[in-house]
């Protein structure tokens, strides 16, 4: 990983992860990923598709060439090579592909946005590594939010307050998976949507939102408001560009979320 940019390249169907940040189940995949510059990962289920090695692309699945979105992912990969591009300066938005398909899977349609007042949220075409979350997973954020989070976390530490990242960027497909797993546990769509926005409408898609926790506190619980971390955020977060998106009695039908903070770019 030395000398490589620590960025996640995002395309509508496939993510390109820097090598060394993913763990594989099979020995073959693990050996390939250990040598990879980038790993092509299918967004809808997390399947590893291929690795970019110094000697070229190595497929990890059969019929790789039939994979939806592969051409876009390979174009993005090519743009990263030093002889074609010196770096990434601008964050662009991905098209809102398959939005209706994801909503229909939950029995929803475009009226959901009108009813809740939640705007559609595109995914960025790349994200910065902002460290690791409480569970040692890579924390991906929009580059502006990543800088804001780093400065805010360091400032809190100087005041003897520990801020832990619980969750950052989530793709539309990942959000759909969260809702589907809760449905499988017997929760209704209506119950779930008071806690999780429908895919396409979550601030996490932008990479600007981060769920924040405190040591020894359960994640994403209202009890977070009684911690010194929340007290510090309430006084200091806005100075670093972060605001709490869902206070009590917010107009979107989302429960009070003292842990959810979003970086405002404007």
């Amino acid at each position: 990983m030395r000398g490589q940019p620590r960025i996640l390249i995002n395309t509508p169907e496939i993510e390109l992860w820097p090598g060394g940040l993913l763990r594989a189940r099979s020995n073959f995949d693990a050996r390939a990923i250990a040598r990879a510059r980038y790993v092509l990962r299918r967004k809808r289920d997390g399947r590893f598709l291929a690795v970019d090695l110094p000697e070229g692309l190595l497929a990890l699945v059969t019929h790789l060439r039939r994979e939806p979105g592969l051409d876009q992912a390979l174009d993005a990969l090519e743009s990263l090579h030093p002889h074609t591009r010196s770096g990434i300066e601008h964050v662009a938005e991905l098209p809102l592909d398959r939005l209706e398909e994801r909503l229909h899977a939950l029995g929803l349609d475009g009226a959901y946005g009108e009813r809740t007042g939640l705007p559609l949220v595109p995914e960025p075409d790349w994200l910065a590594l902002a460290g690791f979350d409480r569970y040692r997973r890579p924390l991906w954020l929009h580059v502006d939010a990543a800088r804001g989070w780093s400065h805010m976390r360091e400032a809190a530490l100087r005041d003897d307050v520990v801020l832990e990242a619980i969750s950052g960027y989530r793709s539309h497909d990942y959000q759909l998976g969260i809702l589907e797993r809760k449905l499988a546990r017997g929760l209704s769509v209506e119950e779930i949507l008071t806690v999780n926005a429908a895919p396409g409408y979550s601030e996490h898609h932008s990479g600007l939102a981060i769920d924040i926790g405190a040591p020894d506190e359960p994640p994403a619980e209202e009890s977070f408001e009684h911690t010194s971390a929340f007290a510090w955020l309430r006084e200091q977060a806005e100075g670093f560009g972060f605001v709490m998106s869902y206070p009590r009695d917010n107009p979107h039908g989302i429960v009070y979320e003292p842990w959810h903070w979003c970086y405002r770019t404007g």
Side-chain angles (χ1 to χ4, degrees):
M1 290 295 296
R2 184 175 297 174
Q4 291 189 32
R6 304 287 285 230
I7 57 176
L8 183 148
I9 302 302
N10 200 13
T11 69
E13 304 288 344
I14 297 171
E15 296 170 343
L16 286 76
W17 283 61
L21 292 179
L22 291 167
R23 297 291 178 265
R25 294 181 181 179
S26 75
N27 289 334
F28 176 79
D29 285 2
R31 288 193 296 271
I33 289 173
R35 300 177 53 229
R37 294 183 293 194
Y38 272 88
V39 181
L40 279 66
R41 184 175 181 264
R42 187 192 290 149
K43 290 169 74 168
R44 71 175 184 269
D45 60 5
R47 179 74 182 273
F48 301 150
L49 301 174
V51 292
D52 176 43
L53 301 175
E55 61 268 26
L57 194 70
L58 173 66
L60 301 180
V61 296
T62 57
H63 308 302
L64 175 64
R65 291 294 168 181
R66 301 180 190 174
E67 194 66 36
L70 180 66
D71 288 343
Q72 287 172 290
L74 293 180
D75 287 345
L77 181 63
E78 182 66 18
S79 73
L80 288 171
H81 289 175
H83 64 280
T84 60
R85 190 173 184 181
S86 60
I88 293 178
E89 300 84 19
H90 175 68
V91 180
E93 294 178 348
L94 296 183
L96 289 161
D97 291 341
R98 296 195 293 114
L99 175 64
E100 290 185 359
E101 176 185 329
R102 296 187 187 95
L103 291 176
H104 289 167
L106 301 167
L108 301 172
D109 56 27
Y112 168 80
E114 298 174 10
R115 183 174 70 254
T116 61
L118 292 170
L120 286 169
V121 183
E123 300 175 24
D125 65 346
W126 69 278
L127 296 116
L129 182 65
F132 296 84
D133 66 17
R134 172 186 288 187
Y135 310 103
R136 300 305 301 163
R137 301 173 302 191
L139 176 69
W140 297 111
L141 293 174
H142 184 288
V143 63
D144 294 336
R147 293 191 191 103
W149 167 246
S150 176
H151 294 155
M152 185 168 72
R153 185 169 166 272
E154 290 170 2
L157 281 174
R158 290 194 292 270
D159 290 335
D160 297 320
V161 173
V162 176
L163 304 178
E164 292 186 335
I166 303 298
S167 180
Y169 160 74
R170 298 178 199 152
S171 71
H172 294 174
D173 281 318
Y174 190 93
Q175 190 78 2
L176 176 59
I178 291 175
L179 273 69
E180 288 179 331
R181 287 190 290 275
K182 290 188 175 184
L183 285 171
R185 296 204 303 266
L187 295 175
S188 69
V189 171
E190 291 73 19
E191 289 176 298
I192 299 168
L193 292 177
T194 64
V195 179
N196 300 107
Y201 294 88
S202 171
E203 289 183 332
H204 285 283
H205 300 325
S206 66
L208 295 168
I210 182 168
D211 292 340
I212 300 174
D216 303 320
E217 278 292 316
E221 294 287 345
E222 191 173 314
S223 59
F224 178 65
E225 74 169 348
H226 302 299
T227 65
S228 59
F230 178 74
W232 190 93
L233 288 167
R234 189 171 52 191
E235 296 296 324
Q236 304 292 339
E238 190 171 356
F240 295 91
F242 288 89
V243 298
M244 186 173 60
S245 299
Y246 304 116
R248 283 191 173 87
D249 302 318
N250 66 80
H252 306 297
I254 303 291
V255 298
Y256 172 47
E257 294 191 351
W259 61 86
H260 180 106
W261 296 76
C262 192
Y263 186 86
R264 303 304 185 194
T265 57

